[in-house]
Amino acid sequence: MMSPDYATQVEAVIATLKQDLPTLFKQDITYDIYTQDIEFIDPVNRFKGKLSYQIIFWTLRFHGQLFFTELYFDLHEVQQTAFDVITAHWTVRGTLRLPWKPQLYFNGYSTYQLTPEGLIYYHQDTWDRSPQAILKQFISW
């Protein structure tokens, strides 16, 4: 049975993700919903620890502003899909700063696993295409 405190914490985590994710390329996210030893995995990265997690979001913002004229993280849905799992479905799209203005576009989902206290200790991103296929979008004329 879910405790009221846990249910309230999960609702707060979902609300924070809904607030943070759409603007992650423009401003920093809220880190108090994550454990100190948060583990992150996506098709090109794997690391553990809140400092590394903060660095990946800083890097996304830095490279996003440096290499793109437009870059968006379209959040479609965030929901609790199991007692200790939250899933977010999203699309990343943007325009690269090149004369032919190549478009970046891919869909994905994030799976967040929660501790018994309702903090995120594991975040895995899955993309709808390979990193190589995403990079090929940059060189297409």
Side-chain angles (χ1 to χ4, degrees):
M1 177 154 169
M2 190 182 316
S3 76
D5 289 345
Y6 182 81
T8 301
Q9 175 62 21
V10 171
E11 287 175 13
V13 168
I14 290 171
T16 300
L17 291 170
K18 285 180 178 179
Q19 174 186 307
D20 284 354
L21 295 178
T23 61
L24 69 83
F25 291 122
K26 293 175 179 51
Q27 64 188 38
D28 210 0
I29 64 168
T30 306
Y31 294 103
D32 60 3
I33 62 172
Y34 304 94
T35 62
Q36 284 298 321
D37 62 347
I38 174 84
E39 183 174 4
F40 176 81
I41 300 171
D42 74 9
V44 294
N45 298 293
R46 181 182 195 127
F47 55 79
K48 200 167 189 175
K50 195 181 276 191
L51 179 60
S52 296
Y53 198 68
Q54 290 169 318
I55 289 169
I56 196 76
F57 282 98
W58 179 88
T59 303
L60 284 171
R61 284 190 310 282
F62 178 78
H63 287 124
Q65 293 171 11
L66 186 65
F67 296 117
F68 292 86
T69 58
E70 297 178 306
L71 186 58
Y72 302 98
F73 189 95
D74 299 325
L75 184 61
H76 306 299
E77 182 178 47
V78 181
Q79 63 182 351
Q80 185 176 6
T81 52
F83 178 73
D84 61 348
V85 177
I86 294 171
T87 305
H89 293 266
W90 44 262
T91 300
V92 170
R93 59 189 174 87
T95 305
L96 206 59
R97 286 187 196 276
L98 290 171
W100 60 94
K101 298 182 174 149
Q103 299 293 303
L104 168 73
Y105 185 93
F106 66 99
N107 297 298
Y109 62 92
S110 300
T111 303
Y112 302 96
Q113 293 185 333
L114 305 171
T115 65
E117 298 75 34
L119 294 175
I120 297 170
Y121 73 89
Y122 179 83
H123 171 182
Q124 182 170 4
D125 281 352
T126 304
W127 303 345
D128 69 348
R129 58 197 81 183
S130 71
Q132 296 82 4
I134 292 169
L135 285 174
K136 282 183 183 177
Q137 295 177 57
F138 297 160
I139 56 173
S140 64
W141 294 73

